[in-house]
Amino acid sequence: MRTAVYPGSFDPVTNGHLDIIERSSRVFDKVIVGVLNNADKSPLFTIDERVEMLRGVTAHIDNVEVDSFTGLLVDFAKMKNASVIVKGLRAVKDFEYEFQMALLNKALNPEYETMFMMTDSKYSYISSSMVKELAGFHGDLTGLVPAEIIHKITQKYKID
Ligand code: PNS
């Protein structure tokens, strides 16, 4: 049984993330989406909200599981009996950082392979930060994030 971990902040999950999850679920027996609970960052969504949104938008995929983690990714992968780390690559600008992370994770634990999946070109310009910036200006999020979470994002920017 080949299990992969797909880690990230997912603040919030985008259609680009969902595309990587769907495609990797066809390559691996099981995909565990690991949502980083990072105390240093101040995310828009709490860890519970991010996990819940991801569970909702991946409910149609049988072999996908969503869980949060703190600490090192390689420790989370070990705990989940995963042997592969899946990352999405959008453009050259992602490469340097991802290359460094992959090498560092390999140095931390050589048992794990990082595998990169190229984004679908129609999602190559989407990022969680762009989604948040656009939402802050009350822009249209259609097509950028799963339809069922649009109201959750716009709600965060509502002025009472
Ligand atoms: O969506 P992001 O914010 O680009 O995801 C980054 C993530 C969660 C993949 C990365 O920050 C991570 O793996 N963090 C866990 C801590 C870790 O293992 N760091 C590498 C060694 S210091």
Side-chain angles (χ1 to χ4, degrees), residues 7-10 36 41 69 71-73 87 97 101 104-105 108:
S9 302
F10 305 105
L36 179 66
K41 284 192 182 175
F69 75 102
L72 291 178
L73 174 60
K87 300 301 283 291
Y97 172 73
M101 289 287 279
L104 184 58
N105 284 328
L108 288 170

Side-chain angles (χ1 to χ4, degrees), residues 6-7 13 16 25 32 36 94-95 100-101 112 119 121 148 159:
Y6 176 49
V13 57
S25 77
I32 299 176
L36 179 66
D94 284 340
F95 181 78
Q100 187 184 11
M101 289 287 279
Y112 300 101
T119 181
S121 59
E148 63 262 50
I159 306 151

Side-chain angles (χ1 to χ4, degrees), residues 60-80:
H60 62 291
I61 323 170
D62 287 344
N63 59 338
V64 169
E65 201 181 289
V66 183
D67 219 337
S68 62
F69 75 102
T70 48
L72 291 178
L73 174 60
V74 286
D75 292 339
F76 178 67
K78 187 174 193 153
M79 191 182 81
K80 292 289 181 183

Side-chain angles (χ1 to χ4, degrees), residues 5 20 29 31 33 47 51 70 77 89 98 100 105 110 127 139 145 149 157-158 160:
V5 163
I20 299 287
D29 299 310
V31 174
V33 181
I47 187 69
V51 166
T70 48
L89 272 188
E98 292 298 345
Q100 187 184 11
N105 284 328
S127 67
V145 297
I149 68 158
Y157 292 95
K158 267 222 170 94
D160 297 316

Side-chain angles (χ1 to χ4, degrees), residues 14-16 90 122-128 130-131 143-145:
T14 67
N15 278 342
R90 280 167 304 191
K122 63 179 181 282
Y123 301 126
S124 64
Y125 60 94
I126 306 176
S127 67
S128 297
M130 286 299 175
V131 165
L144 304 185
V145 297

